[in-house]
Amino acid sequence: MVAVVELGAEPGVGAAYARAVLGLLPGARKAGGALPDVEVVRRGVVVDRSHLAAYDRVCGFRLSDTLPGTYPHVLAFPLAMRLMTSPDFPLPLIGLVHVANRIAVRRPLSADTPLDLAVRVADLRDHPRGRQFDVIATASVDGAEVWSGVSTYLRITSARSDRPAEPGAGGGADGGAADGGAVWRVPARVGGDYAAVSGDRNPIHTSRLGARLFGFPGPIAHGMWTKARALASLEGRLPEAYTVEVAFKQPIPLPSRVRFETLPADGGWRLTVASKRPHLTGTVVRAA
């Protein structure tokens, strides 16, 4: 039976990062342990409009009382951090790679509507380069689920990768005609700006030294910023209910210049953000 932990206030992300550092110490975690069978819940979460406006600006959305499809992910992030830095979590938070994200928007959400958030982790499994698992978040109103998100994280333990390249990863490489495109100039400040509005202050996004410690020559953009920026580029064309699923490929170094392209597919779009290599590939599909 899943144990439910109900929080009366938002857990501090700063304290979670402190626990994450302690989790790197020898013997801090049980190697090979199972994921905790716990759901963290916070009810009646009210959107701070100044925070929403800041998020909209950083990610390129128009200022509006309607929540971007990626915004509830930010609201749920502190709950996910609480789970992933708990003493019984089997993998250290620092070093995890966000490799994929799927969001389902059931209906438009207004900043006026309090949300009940719930987060749990599931499906710890092997991967050619290590182990991966899912963080599952939901937002509900009056008991009805209105939004859900699944973030897949990978703990790399091997340099070998058997994962094949995706067909069409270059944006229209399958012979289709791209439905418009745009060049994004991604400034160096994106890492710090998105960290401030998302709470994701992983040093690989905000510090040259922190990035180098994990094998990057400099800071890289957050994958969820890239996804949000892609959705912002489709604003005004998105249906009221849809699913957007992406895979995070190569990181975007900061600063950078990348190209965003869409390709019509099954009543929605295929998405690509790429430079010399793809950074993000994905789809937007209208809900049935």
Side-chain angles (χ1 to χ4, degrees):
M1 178 180 249
V2 177
V4 176
V5 175
E6 192 156 339
L7 305 179
E10 181 177 297
V13 173
Y17 274 112
R19 291 194 300 271
V21 173
L22 293 176
L24 293 175
L25 297 176
R29 298 185 182 278
K30 294 180 180 178
L35 294 173
D37 201 9
V38 174
E39 183 174 67
V40 179
V41 174
R42 187 170 173 234
R43 302 186 191 279
V45 176
V46 178
V47 171
D48 179 335
R49 279 184 166 77
S50 63
H51 180 266
L52 173 61
Y55 178 88
D56 287 342
R57 292 188 185 98
V58 170
C59 298
F61 292 101
R62 292 183 293 227
L63 297 183
S64 169
D65 280 346
T66 300
L67 305 187
T70 47
Y71 188 74
H73 173 88
V74 169
L75 297 179
F77 182 71
L79 307 187
M81 287 287 288
R82 167 73 177 262
L83 272 174
M84 291 191 290
T85 58
S86 64
D88 57 345
F89 198 79
L91 302 172
L93 175 76
I94 295 176
L96 291 178
V97 180
H98 195 179
V99 294
N101 178 268
R102 181 176 74 252
I103 285 172
V105 178
R106 315 279 190 236
R107 64 171 174 84
L109 296 177
S110 168
D112 293 325
T113 306
L115 300 173
D116 295 336
L117 303 175
V119 177
R120 59 189 175 88
V121 290
D123 197 14
L124 182 61
R125 57 204 185 269
D126 290 333
H127 180 277
R129 297 190 64 190
R131 305 199 83 193
Q132 63 182 7
F133 64 95
D134 298 326
V135 176
I136 302 169
T138 61
S140 301
V141 176
D142 297 329
E145 186 178 293
V146 294
W147 178 96
S148 64
V150 179
S151 295
T152 300
Y153 290 92
L154 169 66
R155 176 68 178 176
I156 297 175
T157 58
S158 169
R160 182 178 61 87
S161 176
D162 299 325
R163 184 161 136 189
E166 290 196 359
D174 58 355
D179 183 24
V183 173
W184 298 348
R185 288 172 176 83
V186 187
R189 69 172 186 273
V190 159
D193 288 352
Y194 187 79
V197 296
S198 68
D200 185 352
R201 299 182 181 276
N202 188 322
I204 64 173
H205 304 299
T206 59
S207 161
R208 183 170 297 275
L209 176 60
R212 285 179 173 172
L213 289 174
F214 289 94
F216 301 103
I220 60 175
H222 295 74
M224 288 303 295
W225 175 86
T226 310
K227 180 173 184 175
R229 183 69 183 83
L231 278 190
S233 298
L234 294 171
E235 232 177 350
R237 294 189 283 166
L238 292 168
E240 290 194 343
Y242 60 91
T243 297
V244 52
E245 184 168 6
V246 303
F248 302 117
K249 301 297 189 179
Q250 298 298 314
I252 297 177
L254 297 175
S256 200
R257 177 175 166 150
V258 299
R259 184 167 184 82
F260 169 70
E261 290 188 345
T262 61
L263 188 71
D266 300 324
W269 298 273
R270 286 178 53 198
L271 315 175
T272 304
V273 178
S275 49
K276 292 181 180 178
R277 302 175 68 181
H279 302 291
L280 174 149
T281 61
T283 58
V284 177
V285 179
R286 184 187 301 271

